[in-house]
Short mmCIF file of all heavy atoms in Angstrom, two decimals:
data_model
loop_
_atom_site.label_atom_id
_atom_site.label_comp_id
_atom_site.label_asym_id
_atom_site.label_seq_id
_atom_site.Cartn_x
_atom_site.Cartn_y
_atom_site.Cartn_z
N MET D 1 -7.17 -16.39 -11.69
CA MET D 1 -8.49 -16.43 -11.15
C MET D 1 -9.30 -15.28 -11.73
O MET D 1 -8.87 -14.15 -11.65
CB MET D 1 -8.41 -16.34 -9.62
CG MET D 1 -9.72 -16.03 -8.96
SD MET D 1 -11.06 -17.07 -9.45
CE MET D 1 -11.32 -18.06 -8.07
N ASP D 2 -10.43 -15.59 -12.33
CA ASP D 2 -11.29 -14.58 -12.94
C ASP D 2 -12.36 -14.17 -11.90
O ASP D 2 -13.02 -15.03 -11.33
CB ASP D 2 -11.93 -15.16 -14.19
CG ASP D 2 -12.49 -14.11 -15.09
OD1 ASP D 2 -12.25 -12.90 -14.82
OD2 ASP D 2 -13.15 -14.45 -16.07
N THR D 3 -12.50 -12.89 -11.69
CA THR D 3 -13.53 -12.34 -10.77
C THR D 3 -14.38 -11.35 -11.52
O THR D 3 -14.10 -11.01 -12.68
CB THR D 3 -12.90 -11.64 -9.56
OG1 THR D 3 -12.28 -10.42 -10.01
CG2 THR D 3 -11.88 -12.50 -8.86
N VAL D 4 -15.41 -10.84 -10.87
CA VAL D 4 -16.25 -9.83 -11.52
C VAL D 4 -15.49 -8.54 -11.81
O VAL D 4 -15.89 -7.74 -12.64
CB VAL D 4 -17.52 -9.52 -10.67
CG1 VAL D 4 -18.44 -10.74 -10.60
CG2 VAL D 4 -17.18 -9.01 -9.31
N LYS D 5 -14.39 -8.32 -11.10
CA LYS D 5 -13.57 -7.12 -11.29
C LYS D 5 -12.46 -7.36 -12.30
O LYS D 5 -11.83 -6.40 -12.78
CB LYS D 5 -12.97 -6.65 -9.99
CG LYS D 5 -13.99 -6.05 -9.07
CD LYS D 5 -13.36 -5.29 -7.94
CE LYS D 5 -14.42 -4.64 -7.12
NZ LYS D 5 -13.90 -3.76 -6.12
N GLY D 6 -12.17 -8.61 -12.66
CA GLY D 6 -11.11 -8.87 -13.59
C GLY D 6 -10.29 -10.08 -13.16
O GLY D 6 -10.64 -10.81 -12.23
N VAL D 7 -9.18 -10.28 -13.86
CA VAL D 7 -8.34 -11.45 -13.65
C VAL D 7 -7.20 -11.16 -12.68
O VAL D 7 -6.54 -10.10 -12.72
CB VAL D 7 -7.72 -11.91 -15.01
CG1 VAL D 7 -6.74 -13.04 -14.81
CG2 VAL D 7 -8.82 -12.31 -15.98
N PHE D 8 -6.99 -12.11 -11.78
CA PHE D 8 -5.87 -12.05 -10.82
C PHE D 8 -4.94 -13.20 -11.19
O PHE D 8 -5.39 -14.33 -11.35
CB PHE D 8 -6.32 -12.22 -9.39
CG PHE D 8 -7.01 -11.05 -8.83
CD1 PHE D 8 -8.37 -10.84 -9.06
CD2 PHE D 8 -6.34 -10.10 -8.10
CE1 PHE D 8 -9.04 -9.75 -8.56
CE2 PHE D 8 -6.99 -9.00 -7.58
CZ PHE D 8 -8.32 -8.81 -7.81
N GLN D 9 -3.64 -12.91 -11.30
CA GLN D 9 -2.65 -13.96 -11.50
C GLN D 9 -1.46 -13.66 -10.60
O GLN D 9 -0.83 -12.60 -10.70
CB GLN D 9 -2.22 -14.05 -12.96
CG GLN D 9 -1.26 -15.20 -13.22
CD GLN D 9 -0.86 -15.30 -14.67
OE1 GLN D 9 -1.18 -14.43 -15.48
NE2 GLN D 9 -0.16 -16.37 -15.00
N VAL D 10 -1.17 -14.61 -9.69
CA VAL D 10 -0.12 -14.46 -8.71
C VAL D 10 1.03 -15.41 -9.05
O VAL D 10 0.81 -16.57 -9.39
CB VAL D 10 -0.66 -14.76 -7.30
CG1 VAL D 10 0.44 -14.68 -6.26
CG2 VAL D 10 -1.80 -13.81 -6.93
N GLU D 11 2.24 -14.90 -8.90
CA GLU D 11 3.44 -15.73 -9.05
C GLU D 11 4.08 -15.87 -7.68
O GLU D 11 4.24 -14.87 -6.97
CB GLU D 11 4.42 -15.09 -10.01
CG GLU D 11 5.73 -15.84 -10.16
CD GLU D 11 6.70 -15.12 -11.05
OE1 GLU D 11 7.19 -14.06 -10.60
OE2 GLU D 11 6.94 -15.58 -12.15
N VAL D 12 4.39 -17.11 -7.29
CA VAL D 12 5.01 -17.36 -5.99
C VAL D 12 6.41 -17.91 -6.23
O VAL D 12 6.60 -18.84 -7.01
CB VAL D 12 4.19 -18.39 -5.18
CG1 VAL D 12 4.82 -18.65 -3.83
CG2 VAL D 12 2.75 -17.86 -4.97
N THR D 13 7.38 -17.35 -5.51
CA THR D 13 8.77 -17.86 -5.54
C THR D 13 9.01 -18.55 -4.22
O THR D 13 8.77 -17.99 -3.14
CB THR D 13 9.76 -16.70 -5.70
OG1 THR D 13 9.43 -15.99 -6.93
CG2 THR D 13 11.20 -17.20 -5.78
N PHE D 14 9.50 -19.77 -4.30
CA PHE D 14 9.81 -20.57 -3.12
C PHE D 14 11.30 -20.65 -2.90
O PHE D 14 12.08 -20.69 -3.86
CB PHE D 14 9.23 -21.97 -3.28
CG PHE D 14 7.73 -22.05 -3.22
CD1 PHE D 14 6.99 -21.94 -4.37
CD2 PHE D 14 7.09 -22.21 -2.02
CE1 PHE D 14 5.62 -21.99 -4.35
CE2 PHE D 14 5.68 -22.29 -1.97
CZ PHE D 14 4.95 -22.17 -3.13
N ARG D 15 11.68 -20.69 -1.68
CA ARG D 15 13.04 -21.00 -1.27
C ARG D 15 12.91 -22.23 -0.40
O ARG D 15 12.50 -22.13 0.76
CB ARG D 15 13.65 -19.85 -0.50
CG ARG D 15 15.17 -19.88 -0.47
CD ARG D 15 15.81 -18.59 0.00
NE ARG D 15 15.75 -17.58 -1.06
CZ ARG D 15 15.37 -16.33 -0.91
NH1 ARG D 15 15.03 -15.89 0.27
NH2 ARG D 15 15.37 -15.49 -1.91
N GLY D 16 13.18 -23.39 -0.97
CA GLY D 16 12.87 -24.66 -0.28
C GLY D 16 11.37 -24.80 -0.23
O GLY D 16 10.67 -24.68 -1.23
N ASP D 17 10.86 -25.02 0.97
CA ASP D 17 9.41 -25.13 1.17
C ASP D 17 8.77 -23.84 1.61
O ASP D 17 7.57 -23.78 1.85
CB ASP D 17 9.09 -26.21 2.21
CG ASP D 17 9.34 -27.62 1.69
OD1 ASP D 17 9.34 -27.77 0.46
OD2 ASP D 17 9.53 -28.53 2.49
N ARG D 18 9.54 -22.79 1.73
CA ARG D 18 9.02 -21.48 2.22
C ARG D 18 8.71 -20.54 1.06
O ARG D 18 9.38 -20.55 0.04
CB ARG D 18 10.02 -20.84 3.15
CG ARG D 18 10.22 -21.67 4.43
CD ARG D 18 10.90 -20.95 5.55
NE ARG D 18 10.40 -19.63 5.87
CZ ARG D 18 9.37 -19.38 6.66
NH1 ARG D 18 8.69 -20.38 7.21
NH2 ARG D 18 9.01 -18.15 6.96
N ILE D 19 7.67 -19.74 1.24
CA ILE D 19 7.33 -18.70 0.26
C ILE D 19 8.31 -17.57 0.48
O ILE D 19 8.35 -16.96 1.56
CB ILE D 19 5.89 -18.26 0.43
CG1 ILE D 19 4.91 -19.40 0.19
CG2 ILE D 19 5.61 -17.07 -0.49
CD1 ILE D 19 3.47 -19.08 0.51
N ALA D 20 9.13 -17.30 -0.54
CA ALA D 20 10.13 -16.23 -0.43
C ALA D 20 9.61 -14.90 -1.01
O ALA D 20 10.03 -13.83 -0.53
CB ALA D 20 11.41 -16.67 -1.15
N ALA D 21 8.74 -15.00 -2.00
CA ALA D 21 8.25 -13.76 -2.63
C ALA D 21 6.94 -14.05 -3.34
O ALA D 21 6.67 -15.17 -3.75
CB ALA D 21 9.26 -13.24 -3.63
N VAL D 22 6.14 -13.04 -3.45
CA VAL D 22 4.85 -13.08 -4.20
C VAL D 22 4.81 -11.88 -5.09
O VAL D 22 5.14 -10.77 -4.67
CB VAL D 22 3.65 -13.10 -3.25
CG1 VAL D 22 2.36 -13.12 -4.02
CG2 VAL D 22 3.69 -14.22 -2.25
N ARG D 23 4.40 -12.10 -6.34
CA ARG D 23 4.34 -10.99 -7.31
C ARG D 23 3.02 -11.10 -8.07
O ARG D 23 2.61 -12.21 -8.46
CB ARG D 23 5.52 -11.08 -8.24
CG ARG D 23 5.66 -9.93 -9.20
CD ARG D 23 6.99 -9.96 -9.91
NE ARG D 23 7.13 -11.09 -10.81
CZ ARG D 23 7.21 -11.00 -12.14
NH1 ARG D 23 7.19 -9.80 -12.71
NH2 ARG D 23 7.31 -12.07 -12.88
N MET D 24 2.39 -9.97 -8.26
CA MET D 24 1.13 -9.92 -9.06
C MET D 24 1.54 -9.82 -10.53
O MET D 24 2.22 -8.90 -10.93
CB MET D 24 0.32 -8.71 -8.69
CG MET D 24 -0.34 -8.77 -7.31
SD MET D 24 -1.44 -10.16 -7.05
CE MET D 24 -2.69 -9.88 -8.30
N LEU D 25 1.12 -10.80 -11.32
CA LEU D 25 1.33 -10.75 -12.75
C LEU D 25 0.19 -10.05 -13.48
O LEU D 25 0.42 -9.34 -14.44
CB LEU D 25 1.52 -12.18 -13.33
CG LEU D 25 2.68 -12.95 -12.74
CD1 LEU D 25 2.75 -14.36 -13.35
CD2 LEU D 25 4.02 -12.23 -12.97
N LYS D 26 -1.02 -10.28 -12.98
CA LYS D 26 -2.22 -9.60 -13.50
C LYS D 26 -3.11 -9.25 -12.36
O LYS D 26 -3.30 -10.03 -11.43
CB LYS D 26 -3.00 -10.56 -14.43
CG LYS D 26 -2.40 -10.78 -15.78
CD LYS D 26 -3.34 -11.60 -16.64
CE LYS D 26 -2.71 -11.86 -17.99
NZ LYS D 26 -3.58 -12.68 -18.83
N ALA D 27 -3.68 -8.05 -12.45
CA ALA D 27 -4.63 -7.59 -11.44
C ALA D 27 -5.51 -6.52 -12.07
O ALA D 27 -5.05 -5.75 -12.91
CB ALA D 27 -3.92 -7.04 -10.22
N PRO D 28 -6.80 -6.48 -11.70
CA PRO D 28 -7.66 -5.42 -12.20
C PRO D 28 -7.17 -4.05 -11.75
O PRO D 28 -6.54 -3.92 -10.72
CB PRO D 28 -9.02 -5.75 -11.55
CG PRO D 28 -8.91 -7.14 -11.05
CD PRO D 28 -7.46 -7.39 -10.79
N HIS D 29 -7.54 -3.06 -12.54
CA HIS D 29 -7.19 -1.67 -12.19
C HIS D 29 -8.31 -1.04 -11.41
O HIS D 29 -9.21 -0.39 -11.96
CB HIS D 29 -6.90 -0.88 -13.46
CG HIS D 29 -5.73 -1.37 -14.21
ND1 HIS D 29 -4.43 -1.22 -13.76
CD2 HIS D 29 -5.63 -2.06 -15.38
CE1 HIS D 29 -3.59 -1.78 -14.60
NE2 HIS D 29 -4.28 -2.31 -15.59
N HIS D 30 -8.32 -1.28 -10.11
CA HIS D 30 -9.29 -0.77 -9.19
C HIS D 30 -8.54 -0.20 -7.98
O HIS D 30 -7.53 -0.75 -7.59
CB HIS D 30 -10.27 -1.85 -8.73
CG HIS D 30 -11.24 -2.24 -9.78
ND1 HIS D 30 -12.42 -1.56 -10.01
CD2 HIS D 30 -11.22 -3.25 -10.68
CE1 HIS D 30 -13.05 -2.14 -11.01
NE2 HIS D 30 -12.35 -3.15 -11.44
N PRO D 31 -9.09 0.87 -7.39
CA PRO D 31 -8.44 1.42 -6.20
C PRO D 31 -8.22 0.43 -5.07
O PRO D 31 -7.16 0.40 -4.45
CB PRO D 31 -9.38 2.57 -5.77
CG PRO D 31 -10.17 2.88 -6.98
CD PRO D 31 -10.28 1.62 -7.77
N GLN D 32 -9.19 -0.47 -4.86
CA GLN D 32 -9.07 -1.45 -3.79
C GLN D 32 -7.90 -2.38 -4.03
O GLN D 32 -7.16 -2.76 -3.13
CB GLN D 32 -10.33 -2.28 -3.63
CG GLN D 32 -11.56 -1.55 -3.27
CD GLN D 32 -12.34 -1.07 -4.50
OE1 GLN D 32 -11.82 -0.96 -5.61
NE2 GLN D 32 -13.60 -0.75 -4.29
N THR D 33 -7.70 -2.76 -5.29
CA THR D 33 -6.62 -3.68 -5.62
C THR D 33 -5.26 -3.01 -5.35
O THR D 33 -4.37 -3.62 -4.78
CB THR D 33 -6.72 -4.08 -7.11
OG1 THR D 33 -7.98 -4.70 -7.30
CG2 THR D 33 -5.61 -5.04 -7.51
N LYS D 34 -5.17 -1.74 -5.71
CA LYS D 34 -3.90 -1.01 -5.57
C LYS D 34 -3.41 -0.98 -4.12
O LYS D 34 -2.28 -1.20 -3.86
CB LYS D 34 -4.09 0.42 -6.11
CG LYS D 34 -2.79 1.16 -6.27
CD LYS D 34 -3.07 2.52 -6.88
CE LYS D 34 -2.27 2.62 -8.15
NZ LYS D 34 -2.45 3.88 -8.86
N TRP D 35 -4.32 -0.76 -3.17
CA TRP D 35 -3.87 -0.67 -1.75
C TRP D 35 -3.98 -1.99 -1.04
O TRP D 35 -3.31 -2.21 -0.01
CB TRP D 35 -4.59 0.44 -1.02
CG TRP D 35 -6.09 0.40 -0.95
CD1 TRP D 35 -6.95 1.12 -1.73
CD2 TRP D 35 -6.92 -0.38 -0.09
NE1 TRP D 35 -8.23 0.82 -1.42
CE2 TRP D 35 -8.26 -0.08 -0.38
CE3 TRP D 35 -6.66 -1.31 0.94
CZ2 TRP D 35 -9.34 -0.69 0.26
CZ3 TRP D 35 -7.73 -1.88 1.57
CH2 TRP D 35 -9.04 -1.58 1.23
N ALA D 36 -4.82 -2.91 -1.52
CA ALA D 36 -4.99 -4.19 -0.79
C ALA D 36 -3.91 -5.21 -1.11
O ALA D 36 -3.51 -5.98 -0.21
CB ALA D 36 -6.37 -4.79 -1.11
N VAL D 37 -3.41 -5.25 -2.33
CA VAL D 37 -2.44 -6.28 -2.70
C VAL D 37 -1.18 -6.22 -1.85
O VAL D 37 -0.72 -7.27 -1.40
CB VAL D 37 -2.13 -6.22 -4.21
CG1 VAL D 37 -0.92 -7.05 -4.58
CG2 VAL D 37 -3.34 -6.71 -4.99
N PRO D 38 -0.56 -5.07 -1.59
CA PRO D 38 0.62 -5.09 -0.72
C PRO D 38 0.34 -5.67 0.67
O PRO D 38 1.17 -6.38 1.23
CB PRO D 38 1.04 -3.61 -0.63
CG PRO D 38 0.49 -3.01 -1.87
CD PRO D 38 -0.80 -3.73 -2.14
N VAL D 39 -0.83 -5.41 1.22
CA VAL D 39 -1.24 -5.95 2.52
C VAL D 39 -1.36 -7.48 2.38
O VAL D 39 -0.88 -8.23 3.26
CB VAL D 39 -2.56 -5.34 3.00
CG1 VAL D 39 -3.05 -6.01 4.26
CG2 VAL D 39 -2.41 -3.85 3.20
N LEU D 40 -2.02 -7.94 1.34
CA LEU D 40 -2.19 -9.40 1.14
C LEU D 40 -0.84 -10.10 0.96
O LEU D 40 -0.63 -11.17 1.53
CB LEU D 40 -3.10 -9.64 -0.07
CG LEU D 40 -4.55 -9.19 0.11
CD1 LEU D 40 -5.26 -9.10 -1.23
CD2 LEU D 40 -5.28 -10.07 1.09
N ILE D 41 0.07 -9.49 0.24
CA ILE D 41 1.39 -10.08 0.07
C ILE D 41 2.13 -10.18 1.39
O ILE D 41 2.71 -11.22 1.71
CB ILE D 41 2.20 -9.32 -0.99
CG1 ILE D 41 1.61 -9.55 -2.37
CG2 ILE D 41 3.67 -9.75 -0.96
CD1 ILE D 41 2.20 -8.69 -3.49
N THR D 42 2.10 -9.11 2.16
CA THR D 42 2.73 -9.11 3.48
C THR D 42 2.15 -10.21 4.37
O THR D 42 2.92 -10.95 5.01
CB THR D 42 2.57 -7.75 4.17
OG1 THR D 42 3.24 -6.77 3.36
CG2 THR D 42 3.15 -7.75 5.56
N GLU D 43 0.84 -10.34 4.35
CA GLU D 43 0.21 -11.38 5.17
C GLU D 43 0.57 -12.79 4.68
O GLU D 43 0.71 -13.71 5.47
CB GLU D 43 -1.33 -11.18 5.20
CG GLU D 43 -1.74 -9.95 5.94
CD GLU D 43 -1.23 -9.94 7.39
OE1 GLU D 43 -1.41 -10.94 8.11
OE2 GLU D 43 -0.63 -8.92 7.79
N THR D 44 0.68 -12.92 3.36
CA THR D 44 1.08 -14.21 2.80
C THR D 44 2.48 -14.62 3.28
O THR D 44 2.70 -15.77 3.67
CB THR D 44 1.07 -14.16 1.26
OG1 THR D 44 -0.26 -13.84 0.83
CG2 THR D 44 1.52 -15.47 0.65
N LEU D 45 3.39 -13.70 3.26
CA LEU D 45 4.74 -13.99 3.67
C LEU D 45 4.83 -14.32 5.17
O LEU D 45 5.61 -15.19 5.57
CB LEU D 45 5.68 -12.81 3.33
CG LEU D 45 5.85 -12.56 1.84
CD1 LEU D 45 6.63 -11.26 1.61
CD2 LEU D 45 6.50 -13.73 1.14
N LYS D 46 3.99 -13.70 5.95
CA LYS D 46 3.93 -14.03 7.40
C LYS D 46 3.30 -15.39 7.62
O LYS D 46 3.81 -16.20 8.38
CB LYS D 46 3.09 -12.99 8.15
CG LYS D 46 3.75 -11.66 8.36
CD LYS D 46 2.82 -10.74 9.11
CE LYS D 46 3.28 -9.31 9.10
NZ LYS D 46 2.30 -8.40 9.73
N ALA D 47 2.19 -15.68 6.94
CA ALA D 47 1.46 -16.93 7.14
C ALA D 47 2.08 -18.10 6.44
O ALA D 47 1.84 -19.26 6.80
CB ALA D 47 0.01 -16.76 6.68
N GLN D 48 2.84 -17.84 5.37
CA GLN D 48 3.43 -18.90 4.55
C GLN D 48 2.37 -19.81 3.95
O GLN D 48 2.58 -21.00 3.78
CB GLN D 48 4.47 -19.70 5.36
CG GLN D 48 5.77 -18.93 5.63
CD GLN D 48 6.54 -18.62 4.35
OE1 GLN D 48 6.90 -19.52 3.63
NE2 GLN D 48 6.73 -17.34 4.10
N SER D 49 1.22 -19.25 3.64
CA SER D 49 0.13 -20.00 3.03
C SER D 49 -0.90 -19.02 2.48
O SER D 49 -0.76 -17.80 2.64
CB SER D 49 -0.52 -20.92 4.07
OG SER D 49 -1.35 -20.19 4.94
N ALA D 50 -1.94 -19.56 1.87
CA ALA D 50 -3.04 -18.78 1.36
C ALA D 50 -4.13 -18.58 2.44
O ALA D 50 -5.15 -17.97 2.16
CB ALA D 50 -3.63 -19.42 0.12
N HIS D 51 -3.91 -19.08 3.62
CA HIS D 51 -4.86 -18.96 4.72
C HIS D 51 -4.63 -17.63 5.44
O HIS D 51 -4.00 -17.58 6.51
CB HIS D 51 -4.74 -20.15 5.69
CG HIS D 51 -5.01 -21.44 4.99
ND1 HIS D 51 -6.25 -21.84 4.58
CD2 HIS D 51 -4.15 -22.43 4.60
CE1 HIS D 51 -6.17 -23.00 3.98
NE2 HIS D 51 -4.90 -23.39 3.96
N ILE D 52 -5.08 -16.57 4.79
CA ILE D 52 -4.92 -15.22 5.34
C ILE D 52 -6.28 -14.56 5.37
O ILE D 52 -7.22 -14.98 4.68
CB ILE D 52 -3.94 -14.39 4.48
CG1 ILE D 52 -4.41 -14.30 3.05
CG2 ILE D 52 -2.52 -14.97 4.60
CD1 ILE D 52 -3.57 -13.39 2.17
N ASP D 53 -6.40 -13.49 6.18
CA ASP D 53 -7.65 -12.76 6.25
C ASP D 53 -7.83 -11.89 5.02
O ASP D 53 -6.86 -11.42 4.41
CB ASP D 53 -7.65 -11.86 7.49
CG ASP D 53 -7.76 -12.64 8.79
OD1 ASP D 53 -8.31 -13.76 8.75
OD2 ASP D 53 -7.29 -12.14 9.82
N SER D 54 -9.08 -11.66 4.68
CA SER D 54 -9.40 -10.70 3.60
C SER D 54 -9.14 -9.30 4.12
O SER D 54 -9.22 -9.02 5.31
CB SER D 54 -10.85 -10.83 3.18
OG SER D 54 -11.08 -12.09 2.58
N VAL D 55 -8.84 -8.40 3.19
CA VAL D 55 -8.67 -7.00 3.54
C VAL D 55 -10.03 -6.35 3.52
O VAL D 55 -10.78 -6.44 2.53
CB VAL D 55 -7.70 -6.30 2.53
CG1 VAL D 55 -7.64 -4.82 2.80
CG2 VAL D 55 -6.35 -6.94 2.59
N SER D 56 -10.39 -5.69 4.62
CA SER D 56 -11.67 -5.02 4.74
C SER D 56 -11.81 -3.97 3.66
O SER D 56 -10.90 -3.17 3.40
CB SER D 56 -11.76 -4.34 6.11
OG SER D 56 -13.01 -3.71 6.25
N GLY D 57 -12.95 -3.98 2.93
CA GLY D 57 -13.21 -3.05 1.88
C GLY D 57 -12.70 -3.52 0.53
O GLY D 57 -12.85 -2.82 -0.48
N ALA D 58 -12.05 -4.67 0.52
CA ALA D 58 -11.50 -5.22 -0.73
C ALA D 58 -11.79 -6.72 -0.82
O ALA D 58 -10.91 -7.54 -1.06
CB ALA D 58 -10.01 -4.96 -0.82
N THR D 59 -13.03 -7.07 -0.60
CA THR D 59 -13.41 -8.49 -0.56
C THR D 59 -13.17 -9.23 -1.85
O THR D 59 -12.54 -10.31 -1.82
CB THR D 59 -14.90 -8.62 -0.14
OG1 THR D 59 -15.12 -7.95 1.09
CG2 THR D 59 -15.30 -10.08 0.00
N ILE D 60 -13.57 -8.70 -2.96
CA ILE D 60 -13.37 -9.40 -4.23
C ILE D 60 -11.90 -9.48 -4.57
O ILE D 60 -11.39 -10.53 -5.04
CB ILE D 60 -14.20 -8.71 -5.36
CG1 ILE D 60 -15.69 -8.90 -5.07
CG2 ILE D 60 -13.84 -9.28 -6.72
CD1 ILE D 60 -16.59 -8.09 -5.96
N THR D 61 -11.16 -8.40 -4.33
CA THR D 61 -9.70 -8.42 -4.53
C THR D 61 -9.08 -9.51 -3.67
O THR D 61 -8.25 -10.31 -4.15
CB THR D 61 -9.10 -7.06 -4.19
OG1 THR D 61 -9.58 -6.09 -5.16
CG2 THR D 61 -7.60 -7.09 -4.25
N SER D 62 -9.46 -9.56 -2.42
CA SER D 62 -8.91 -10.59 -1.49
C SER D 62 -9.24 -11.98 -1.98
O SER D 62 -8.37 -12.86 -1.97
CB SER D 62 -9.47 -10.35 -0.09
OG SER D 62 -9.07 -9.10 0.42
N GLN D 63 -10.46 -12.19 -2.40
CA GLN D 63 -10.86 -13.54 -2.84
C GLN D 63 -10.11 -13.95 -4.11
O GLN D 63 -9.63 -15.07 -4.23
CB GLN D 63 -12.38 -13.57 -3.10
CG GLN D 63 -13.17 -13.49 -1.84
CD GLN D 63 -14.66 -13.29 -2.12
OE1 GLN D 63 -15.09 -12.94 -3.22
NE2 GLN D 63 -15.47 -13.50 -1.08
N GLY D 64 -10.00 -13.03 -5.06
CA GLY D 64 -9.25 -13.30 -6.29
C GLY D 64 -7.78 -13.58 -6.04
O GLY D 64 -7.18 -14.51 -6.59
N TYR D 65 -7.18 -12.76 -5.16
CA TYR D 65 -5.79 -12.93 -4.80
C TYR D 65 -5.56 -14.29 -4.13
O TYR D 65 -4.66 -15.03 -4.53
CB TYR D 65 -5.35 -11.80 -3.88
CG TYR D 65 -3.96 -12.02 -3.28
CD1 TYR D 65 -2.82 -11.60 -3.94
CD2 TYR D 65 -3.80 -12.66 -2.05
CE1 TYR D 65 -1.58 -11.82 -3.40
CE2 TYR D 65 -2.57 -12.89 -1.53
CZ TYR D 65 -1.45 -12.46 -2.21
OH TYR D 65 -0.21 -12.69 -1.66
N LYS D 66 -6.40 -14.60 -3.14
CA LYS D 66 -6.19 -15.85 -2.39
C LYS D 66 -6.41 -17.11 -3.27
O LYS D 66 -5.68 -18.07 -3.15
CB LYS D 66 -7.10 -15.88 -1.17
CG LYS D 66 -6.66 -14.91 -0.10
CD LYS D 66 -7.36 -15.06 1.24
CE LYS D 66 -8.79 -14.73 1.23
NZ LYS D 66 -9.42 -14.82 2.57
N ALA D 67 -7.39 -17.05 -4.17
CA ALA D 67 -7.60 -18.18 -5.05
C ALA D 67 -6.44 -18.37 -6.00
O ALA D 67 -5.98 -19.50 -6.23
CB ALA D 67 -8.91 -17.97 -5.83
N SER D 68 -5.92 -17.29 -6.54
CA SER D 68 -4.76 -17.38 -7.46
C SER D 68 -3.54 -17.82 -6.69
O SER D 68 -2.73 -18.63 -7.18
CB SER D 68 -4.53 -16.02 -8.13
OG SER D 68 -3.44 -16.13 -9.03
N LEU D 69 -3.35 -17.30 -5.50
CA LEU D 69 -2.23 -17.71 -4.63
C LEU D 69 -2.28 -19.20 -4.34
O LEU D 69 -1.28 -19.90 -4.47
CB LEU D 69 -2.26 -16.89 -3.33
CG LEU D 69 -1.25 -17.29 -2.29
CD1 LEU D 69 0.20 -17.04 -2.76
CD2 LEU D 69 -1.51 -16.52 -0.97
N GLN D 70 -3.46 -19.70 -3.99
CA GLN D 70 -3.59 -21.14 -3.67
C GLN D 70 -3.28 -21.97 -4.89
O GLN D 70 -2.62 -23.02 -4.79
CB GLN D 70 -4.98 -21.44 -3.13
CG GLN D 70 -5.11 -22.87 -2.63
CD GLN D 70 -4.19 -23.17 -1.47
OE1 GLN D 70 -4.26 -22.53 -0.43
NE2 GLN D 70 -3.28 -24.15 -1.64
N ALA D 71 -3.73 -21.54 -6.06
CA ALA D 71 -3.43 -22.27 -7.31
C ALA D 71 -1.94 -22.32 -7.55
O ALA D 71 -1.38 -23.36 -7.96
CB ALA D 71 -4.17 -21.63 -8.49
N ALA D 72 -1.23 -21.23 -7.29
CA ALA D 72 0.24 -21.18 -7.49
C ALA D 72 0.92 -22.10 -6.50
O ALA D 72 1.89 -22.80 -6.85
CB ALA D 72 0.74 -19.74 -7.37
N ILE D 73 0.45 -22.13 -5.27
CA ILE D 73 1.01 -23.03 -4.24
C ILE D 73 0.77 -24.48 -4.62
O ILE D 73 1.65 -25.31 -4.54
CB ILE D 73 0.45 -22.67 -2.85
CG1 ILE D 73 0.97 -21.31 -2.39
CG2 ILE D 73 0.82 -23.76 -1.85
CD1 ILE D 73 0.27 -20.76 -1.17
N ASP D 74 -0.46 -24.78 -5.04
CA ASP D 74 -0.80 -26.13 -5.47
C ASP D 74 0.03 -26.61 -6.65
O ASP D 74 0.43 -27.77 -6.71
CB ASP D 74 -2.28 -26.23 -5.81
CG ASP D 74 -3.18 -26.08 -4.59
OD1 ASP D 74 -2.67 -26.15 -3.44
OD2 ASP D 74 -4.41 -25.87 -4.79
N ALA D 75 0.31 -25.70 -7.59
CA ALA D 75 1.11 -26.03 -8.77
C ALA D 75 2.52 -26.44 -8.37
O ALA D 75 3.10 -27.36 -8.95
CB ALA D 75 1.15 -24.88 -9.74
N LYS D 76 3.04 -25.80 -7.36
CA LYS D 76 4.39 -26.16 -6.87
C LYS D 76 4.38 -27.53 -6.22
O LYS D 76 5.33 -28.31 -6.35
CB LYS D 76 4.87 -25.12 -5.86
CG LYS D 76 6.37 -25.22 -5.58
CD LYS D 76 6.64 -25.76 -4.22
CE LYS D 76 8.13 -25.65 -3.92
NZ LYS D 76 8.63 -26.77 -3.16
N ALA D 77 3.32 -27.89 -5.53
CA ALA D 77 3.18 -29.14 -4.81
C ALA D 77 3.05 -30.35 -5.78
O ALA D 77 3.38 -31.46 -5.40
CB ALA D 77 2.05 -29.11 -3.85
N SER D 78 2.53 -30.09 -6.97
CA SER D 78 2.33 -31.22 -7.88
C SER D 78 3.49 -31.51 -8.78
O SER D 78 4.49 -30.90 -8.82
CB SER D 78 1.08 -30.97 -8.73
OG SER D 78 1.18 -29.80 -9.47
#
């Protein structure tokens, strides 16, 4: 997912139908990204979907992460 801050690329590992792990393959080098991504990954593992809240103060990072995450989930489904 390309954003005004840069490209986000998320890799999702599934165990059956459950999200077992999430890893950032590409992310912009911004302070917000550095502290927001671990929060977003934790929330993803809890929610087991891309339907998570944005991290306050990291709106663009959150949007890029969630869009890339959803694309990775969709790719598994197809």
Side-chain angles (χ1 to χ4, degrees):
M1 166 49 109
D2 198 8
T3 70
V4 295
K5 289 194 175 187
V7 175
F8 287 85
Q9 185 178 7
V10 177
E11 177 184 69
V12 179
T13 303
F14 290 90
R15 199 166 285 133
D17 287 338
R18 296 195 48 84
I19 298 172
V22 179
R23 186 168 67 113
M24 290 300 300
L25 299 179
K26 286 186 181 179
H29 296 289
H30 287 275
Q32 298 91 338
T33 302
K34 194 176 236 180
W35 57 261
V37 168
V39 174
L40 293 164
I41 290 172
T42 298
E43 291 303 311
T44 300
L45 295 173
K46 286 180 192 174
Q48 289 294 301
S49 76
H51 301 287
I52 58 174
D53 290 334
S54 293
V55 175
S56 180
T59 303
I60 293 170
T61 294
S62 297
Q63 290 170 345
Y65 171 88
K66 290 191 290 185
S68 182
L69 174 65
Q70 187 62 60
I73 291 169
D74 292 346
K76 194 252 188 217
S78 58

